[in-house]
Amino acid sequence: KRLTPPPMANDALQVVITAGPTREPLDPVRYLSNHSSGKMGFALAAAAAASGANVTLISGPVNLPTPRGVTRIDVESAAEMNAQAQRLATTAALFIGCAAVADYRAESAAAHKIKKRENSDTLTLTLVKNPDIIAGIAALPADQRPLVVGFAAETQDVEHYAREKLSRKGLDMIVANDVSSAELGFGSDDNAAWLLWRTPDGTDSEHQPAQSKTALANVIIQRALSLLPF
Ligand code: CTP
Ligand code: CA
C-alpha cells in the first residue's frame, strides 16, 4: 500500500487550469459542444502537481480520472467555467486555459424539450457569444493577474494565428497545435505544438515535435514556470 504524501505546504505555487469541452444547453435534453477529450489539460494538471504546485483543475464534461494531488471542479457551460476561473485566478500565480470553450451558446435555453415541427423542414437557433474566459483573466489588474497561458487549436497557418491570439488576448504564452490531422490533437494521446511566449523585446518561439501529451505537458509547465517573475 502506498504511503500518503505529506500535505502540500501553504506556500506552494497556485496553478489553475481549465480543461475539456463546455456544454451549452439548447433545451433540457440537448446541448452544443465539441470533441475536446480533456487529455491535454489533465496532463498539464498532472505535470504541474508533480512539480510541486497546488493545482485546481476546472473541467468540462470529460471521461478521465482526476490526476493525483489535483483539486477538480466540474462545470458544464462556459458561463460556469468563467465564474470558477474568475473566482480562482486572482490568487493564482499561473493560469492555463486549455479548455475548448464553446464560442457561442443558445440565446435562451428552452425550458421544455423543443418539439419537431410538422409544418417546417428547418429550425433556426439564435446563438450569442460566450465570454472570453482567458482574455478576462489576462485583463485583470497587475496585482491580481497570474501569468496567463493559452492554447490555440488551428487547422491552417498555425504559427500566424497563434501569434495573433497571443497579442489579441493579452497572453504571456500560447501553445498552438495543428488539429487538421487525425493522429494529433483532439482525442489523441499525442500532440505536436508551437510554443510562443513574450519576452521583454518581442516573442520567442519553439517547435515541439509529436510526442505524448504527458511529455508535452511537462515541457509546457517547465517553460511557463521559467516565465514567472520569481
Ligand atoms: N478561450 C476562452 N474563452 C472562450 C474562447 C476561448 O478562454 N470563450 C481560450 C481557450 O481556452 C484557449 C484560447 O482562448 O486558451 C484560444 O481558444 P480558441 O478557440 O483557439 O480561440 P478563439 O478566440 O475562440 O478563436 P477561434 O475559435 O475563432 O479560432
Ligand atoms: Ca474558439
Side-chain angles (χ1 to χ4, degrees):
K1 193 175 174 186
R2 202 160 24 222
L3 290 170
T4 322
M8 199 75 78
N10 288 334
D11 58 355
L13 192 85
Q14 305 288 318
V15 176
V16 174
I17 300 172
T18 67
T22 66
R23 228 177 232 186
E24 310 300 325
L26 298 178
D27 70 14
V29 298
R30 302 184 179 99
Y31 56 82
L32 288 174
S33 192
N34 59 66
H35 289 300
S36 170
S37 66
K39 284 177 187 170
M40 193 66 232
F42 275 57
L44 288 164
S51 78
N54 194 341
V55 182
T56 305
L57 180 58
I58 307 170
S59 179
V62 297
N63 203 346
L64 295 170
T66 307
R68 195 143 63 96
V70 169
T71 303
R72 171 169 170 182
I73 298 173
D74 286 321
V75 297
E76 293 215 339
S77 66
E80 288 166 16
M81 187 174 276
N82 193 36
Q84 293 295 336
Q86 292 198 342
R87 183 175 71 81
L88 294 162
T90 54
T91 54
L94 172 61
F95 178 89
I96 306 181
C98 191
V101 184
D103 291 333
Y104 298 91
R105 67 178 183 279
E107 185 174 43
S108 58
H112 295 285
K113 188 184 164 199
I114 300 167
K115 297 301 288 177
K116 181 165 61 185
R117 292 171 212 188
E118 292 305 327
N119 55 358
S120 173
D121 286 339
T122 63
L123 171 68
T124 304
L125 293 169
T126 301
L127 305 181
V128 295
K129 221 181 234 169
N130 272 328
D132 192 314
I133 300 173
I134 203 165
I137 304 300
L140 284 169
D143 61 332
Q144 295 171 36
R145 184 191 182 283
L147 188 93
V148 182
V149 178
F151 273 71
E154 307 292 349
T155 57
Q156 57 177 342
D157 300 335
V158 177
E159 218 199 326
H160 165 79
Y161 282 122
R163 219 168 264 281
E164 183 268 325
K165 274 177 193 165
L166 181 74
S167 128
R168 174 166 49 89
K169 296 181 187 241
L171 310 179
D172 299 294
M173 174 172 150
I174 193 158
V175 180
N177 59 313
D178 187 340
V179 292
S180 60
S181 90
E183 301 89 70
L184 299 176
F186 276 34
S188 83
D189 288 325
D190 286 11
N191 221 348
W194 278 96
L195 273 56
L196 290 90
W197 62 93
R198 281 174 203 265
T199 63
D201 37 34
T203 312
D204 265 356
S205 68
E206 173 185 280
H207 184 254
Q208 286 291 327
Q211 56 197 289
S212 71
K213 286 183 176 175
T214 303
L216 185 60
N218 275 302
V219 171
I220 294 164
I221 292 297
Q222 292 318 313
R223 174 62 64 193
L225 295 180
S226 80
L227 300 179
L228 285 172
F230 43 83

